């Protein structure tokens, strides 16, 4: 079994990563870090750069882990749900932020889609 974390280089992503490391150590499981981009913009602030990935590696020191960066034209919820369904994932960890009801209606919610689609428990964490 593996703990999957949806990572973005932001306070939310860092909070999710810390929670995933804590859960992985508690469960004695490896961590799978997933960072995605739809690839539809020249610069996607959600796509981790080398310096971000170095910070991720430091946070995961002593924890077996794999990092996957996916650019396949799909949104993060689709990518995470597909991985959670296809692999032995015990827990998905995601960062969440407050959104207004109107914001959710207009923009949708990646976190909500993940919560509804994945077949395993989801731990949603807020940034510090």
């Amino acid at each position: 079994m593996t703990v999957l974390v949806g990572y973005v280089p932001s306070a939310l992503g860092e909070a999710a990563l810390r929670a995933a490391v804590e859960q992985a150590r508690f469960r004695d499981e490896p961590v799978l870090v997933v960072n995605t981009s739809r690839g539809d913009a020249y610069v996607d602030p959600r796509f981790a750069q080398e310096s971000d990935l170095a910070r991720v590696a430091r946070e995961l020191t002593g924890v077996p882990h794999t990092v996957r960066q996916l650019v396949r034209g799909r949104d993060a919820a689709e990518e995470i749900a597909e991985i959670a369904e296809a692999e032995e994932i015990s827990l998905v960890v995601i960062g969440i932020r407050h959104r207004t009801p109107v914001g959710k209606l207009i923009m949708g919610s990646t976190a909500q889609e993940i919560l509804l689609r994945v077949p395993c428990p989801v731990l949603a964490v807020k940034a510090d």
Side-chain angles (χ1 to χ4, degrees):
M1 299 300 285
T2 299
V3 174
L4 184 155
V5 58
Y7 176 77
V8 293
S10 69
L12 286 176
E14 298 299 326
L17 183 62
R18 285 191 299 275
V21 168
E22 183 178 305
Q23 286 295 315
R25 287 187 172 135
F26 176 76
R27 296 163 180 261
D28 194 27
E29 295 177 355
V31 172
L32 171 57
V33 179
V34 176
N35 176 244
T36 69
S37 174
R38 292 176 60 124
D40 56 357
Y42 288 113
V43 178
D44 182 351
R46 297 167 300 203
F47 197 67
Q49 303 302 310
E50 277 191 47
S51 60
D52 302 315
L53 296 176
R55 194 170 46 256
V56 166
R58 285 192 301 274
E59 187 73 33
L60 289 163
T61 299
V63 177
H65 64 277
T66 305
V67 176
R68 288 191 202 163
Q69 283 194 290
L70 307 170
V71 182
R72 302 191 296 198
R74 298 165 50 183
D75 68 26
E78 288 176 285
E79 296 288 8
I80 289 171
E82 181 179 286
I83 293 168
E85 290 166 359
E87 300 183 25
E88 293 185 351
I89 303 298
S90 63
L91 178 70
V92 173
V93 183
I94 57 172
I96 59 168
R97 61 185 170 90
H98 177 74
R99 295 186 57 177
T100 66
V102 173
K104 288 183 219 171
L105 178 65
I106 294 171
M107 301 289 287
S109 170
T110 301
Q112 181 178 359
E113 190 173 341
I114 290 168
L115 286 164
L116 294 173
R117 288 186 61 182
V118 301
C120 61
V122 177
L123 174 60
V125 298
K126 297 178 184 177
D128 294 335

